[in-house]
Amino acid sequence: MGIDVTNTNGVPMEAMLADFGARVRSLRKERSLTTEKLAQSAGVSAGLISQIERGHGNPSFATLVQLAHGLQLPVGQLLQPTETEQVVVRKDERRRLDSHGLATDDGGVYELLTPDLNGALEANWVVTPPGYDTSATPYTHNGEEFGIVLSGTKDVFLDGVRHRLEAGDSIRYSSTIPHWYANPSQTEACTAVWVSTPPTW
């Protein structure tokens, strides 16, 4: 007979660790900290943080104290169980995100459509102003992306090959391919919905 590894409330230990790891990751992302930056401020290894965020680590109390210090919050708040999952994001409640270089004063908008960054995917509402171009900073990361243009025009470059999307057009590609974006119009902003898996923030 196998051993039922649970806590005193009957919750499997694996689920508790996964939930805790997701909470650490979300708190780190909210503070715009990389794994390395958090590791430096908390005095632990980046590998340990990565392991914890993936739900594979069972941190000691000393490690919890160090993580809380690195995240600048009380230990009790770090250990607080996740509240009932939010499933709806109202238009006026979207969280504005760092736009990977999109200036905040040029009409650009980058908002999170998913309730948080804890799930398997991240969806964003993206508005790029006329003439916007990220060719100077191509992106490359693990995962896959999907995008659909709602209005305007968006050029998606995959390893230098341009794919022009008009309203109603969509695209899917591997994020490991160097990619960048441009709005070729000089008069009209482009509105699109972009989905990434796993979350990239």
Side-chain angles (χ1 to χ4, degrees):
M1 179 180 295
I3 299 175
D4 181 20
V5 181
T6 61
N7 70 354
T8 55
N9 294 321
V11 179
M13 183 61 70
E14 292 83 357
M16 289 180 59
L17 293 174
D19 181 73
F20 177 74
R23 187 156 62 256
V24 171
R25 182 177 189 276
S26 179
L27 290 167
R28 175 176 64 79
K29 295 285 189 176
E30 287 176 3
R31 289 158 176 74
S32 300
L33 293 172
T34 63
T35 302
E36 290 73 20
K37 286 288 186 182
L38 177 56
Q40 183 178 8
S41 61
V44 299
S45 72
L48 176 59
I49 293 175
S50 177
Q51 188 178 36
I52 289 172
E53 290 187 356
R54 287 181 283 121
H56 297 159
N58 192 354
S60 66
F61 181 74
T63 299
L64 296 179
V65 172
Q66 289 174 283
L67 282 175
H69 175 75
L71 293 167
Q72 297 184 337
L73 49 76
V75 178
Q77 186 175 340
L78 180 62
L79 296 175
Q80 184 176 356
T82 302
E83 298 178 357
T84 303
E85 182 180 8
Q86 179 184 357
V87 294
V88 175
V89 178
R90 305 297 178 190
K91 180 179 179 180
D92 60 352
E93 296 176 348
R94 295 176 190 162
R95 192 196 327 169
R96 182 69 66 93
L97 297 172
D98 168 1
S99 49
H100 291 314
L102 186 62
T104 57
D105 59 355
D106 62 6
V109 175
Y110 218 106
E111 296 176 332
L112 188 64
L113 294 175
T114 42
D116 51 46
L117 296 168
N118 295 337
L121 60 82
E122 163 195 329
N124 297 300
W125 180 268
V126 184
V127 180
T128 48
Y132 178 65
D133 188 331
T134 68
S135 58
T137 56
Y139 311 122
T140 304
H141 49 90
N142 292 327
E144 191 172 57
E145 296 186 33
F146 166 85
I148 182 168
V149 171
L150 305 181
S151 65
T153 304
K154 191 180 192 79
D155 284 343
V156 179
F157 291 85
L158 302 178
D159 204 15
V161 178
R162 185 184 70 179
H163 302 270
R164 176 156 292 181
L165 305 181
E166 307 285 353
D169 294 341
S170 58
I171 188 171
R172 184 190 70 174
Y173 53 92
S174 170
S175 304
T176 59
I177 301 172
H179 53 285
W180 60 93
Y181 314 102
N183 179 351
S185 173
Q186 297 304 310
T187 59
E188 183 182 7
C190 174
T191 301
V193 171
W194 230 253
V195 179
S196 301
T197 180
T200 58
W201 253 266

